[in-house]
Structures are given as structure tokens and as C-alpha cells.
Amino acid sequence: HSLAGAPQRRAVAMQVARRVAPEKPAAGRVSALSMYELPPAEPISVSEFEEFAYDRLRLLSTIELARAKGLKGAELEARIRKARDEFMPLSPTGLIKDYYSHFILRLAYCRSEDLRRWFLQNELELFKWRFVNNPPEDRAAWLRAKGLQYEAISRDEYEEIKEELHQALSSRRDLDPAAERSEHYKVAFEEVVDLVRQRRVYLRGGSAFVPAADLVSIVATAVRAQWSRRLATASHQWPALREEEADRLPPFLE
């Protein structure tokens, strides 16, 4: 997966609705956790356009290679963190690069089913890594802001039902033993029917109590559906955009 060269120095303005800034979940902290709902508004130079795209491609390619090698757990976590720090650091400047580069590659990878699949798989792996590595309070605030009604249970509620949670999780070999002590979220049971049917979660009063390790998959499913729709939209828009920007975008993106 590569991007062709592009002419330098001219500015590229991405089509926008309004300016988007990196999300700030708490005072003094910034977060790269994003669903990339609105394109960025400020024009950037073509050299920045190219740099941003290549750095995100390097990050996603690192994730792809790590997955192909079968890396999991701490090994996969360390590999993604190292690539993130190198190509898309968690800083105000890095977050601007992150936001723009997602949209650039979305455009580059919307053009065929195989490209869309590659982009989605690796973007979702990056999203899941960011989700589980965000502080719990930031995750909860982000979920609320996105209208995803998954409420982290309180310590008191956890103490009240910890025996039931233990029983629900003790037979699961797919979870790390630490999952029992991790954050649990209260989710409407109809959103996790498969987990309920397989008796993989504790159920009470119409709510399923889901460990964070399962929640990330539930959230990623919702994110994937949204990104899939946007990739399909971009695919339909690409022919007109390709013609409009024939001297700049196609030579680089294709």
C-alpha cells in the first residue's frame, strides 16, 4: 500500500462544514480517540498533505504487520505505542496530523472494496488500542458525548455484584484474569444479545454488565458501521472530485 508523489508547496483545502479541533476529554489532557465525523477546515500545504498521509500509512502498516505476525497482548500494545509515538504523537500538533491524515487516507482508500477493507481493519485496530488505553473517566465522557449509552458502574455497585460478575467471567478463557477487576459497563441487553445468549455476561434488570475488554468490541462495531457508510459515500463522490482536482489529488492518492 503506497501513495504516489505529489507536487509541492500549493495548499490543499479539504471540503468542510466547520473547523474541527482535537477532542479534549479533561482539563490538561488531549485525546486522539475520535470517530472523525466532520472533515477538518483549515487548508494545508501539499507537502503537509503528503507528510500526514505517509505517516498515517506507516502507522497503519505497522499495525497490519504486527497482526500478520500474530502479536497479541503486551507485544501488540508495545508495537502500536512505539509506532504511534513515532508517527502520530499524542500532542496538539500530532493530533492535528492525526485528524487530517485519517480523512486523506479515507479518500485514498475509498476506491475499491479491497482498499476499504484494509483501511477499516487497521483503523479499527488503532481505534480499539486508543479506546482501551484511554483513562476510564475519559472513555466514559467520550461515550456520553457520542450518544453511546454505556455507563461505567460505580465502585459500590461493583462490590454489590462482584460475586455474580465472578461467576459470569470465571468460565471464560478468552479474557485476561484481570478483566474481572477492570471497569464494567451497564449496557442494554438487546445490544449484546450474543453475549447474553452465550452466558458470557451477568444480566440484571434488563442490563448486561460488560467488562471493558468486551465493550471495546461493541463500540468498534458501531464505529465500523459509521466508517463503512462514510467510505461508501466517499467512493461515490470520488469520480467527481478526481475530475475537479485532476492535476493534484489523483497522482498522489492513486
Side-chain angles (χ1 to χ4, degrees), residues 16-35:
V16 298
R18 61 180 175 83
R19 184 171 185 175
V20 177
E23 298 181 40
K24 297 183 180 180
R29 287 204 298 265
V30 292
S31 173
L33 194 63
S34 178
M35 293 177 78

Side-chain angles (χ1 to χ4, degrees), residues 35-36 102 106 109-113 115-121 123-124 219-236:
M35 293 177 78
Y36 305 101
H102 172 90
R106 183 191 289 183
Y109 281 78
C110 74
R111 295 172 293 110
S112 75
E113 185 61 37
L115 290 176
R116 290 192 290 272
R117 186 182 303 111
W118 186 91
F119 179 76
L120 277 174
Q121 285 176 344
E123 281 284 341
L124 280 168
V219 174
T221 297
V223 172
R224 183 187 182 95
Q226 190 171 123
W227 287 352
S228 292
R229 289 193 296 271
R230 289 173 182 161
L231 279 165
T233 299
S235 177
H236 293 140

Side-chain angles (χ1 to χ4, degrees), residues 22-83:
E23 298 181 40
K24 297 183 180 180
R29 287 204 298 265
V30 292
S31 173
L33 194 63
S34 178
M35 293 177 78
Y36 305 101
E37 291 154 307
L38 293 171
E42 298 300 309
I44 57 175
S45 70
V46 173
S47 59
E48 288 175 312
F49 187 97
E50 184 175 345
E51 175 198 340
F52 291 1
Y54 275 127
D55 279 351
R56 193 176 200 89
L57 188 59
R58 292 181 180 108
L59 174 57
L60 297 185
S61 296
T62 298
I63 293 172
E64 179 191 35
L65 182 59
R67 292 171 60 244
K69 289 180 176 179
L71 298 188
K72 296 179 181 178
E75 280 189 308
L76 180 60
E77 203 277 341
R79 189 67 58 88
I80 295 176
R81 184 177 298 278
K82 183 175 184 294

Side-chain angles (χ1 to χ4, degrees), residues 113-183:
E113 185 61 37
D114 285 345
L115 290 176
R116 290 192 290 272
R117 186 182 303 111
W118 186 91
F119 179 76
L120 277 174
Q121 285 176 344
N122 294 294
E123 281 284 341
L124 280 168
E125 199 66 39
L126 178 60
F127 173 86
K128 289 190 286 186
W129 180 83
R130 285 171 166 168
F131 187 86
V132 299
N133 283 284
N134 254 26
E137 63 272 21
D138 289 357
R139 277 203 304 263
W142 186 86
L143 289 169
R144 286 195 300 272
K146 300 305 175 188
L148 300 170
Q149 302 303 312
Y150 308 130
E151 177 188 353
I153 66 174
S154 67
R155 174 54 53 183
D156 289 344
E157 191 168 11
Y158 172 80
E159 290 297 328
E160 180 186 340
I161 62 172
K162 66 180 180 181
E163 289 302 321
E164 289 85 351
L165 293 176
H166 172 74
Q167 290 175 16
L169 299 180
S170 59
S171 62
R172 293 187 55 177
R173 296 182 180 178
D174 61 315
L175 288 181
D176 188 286
E180 188 177 327
R181 300 184 299 278
S182 71
E183 289 282 322

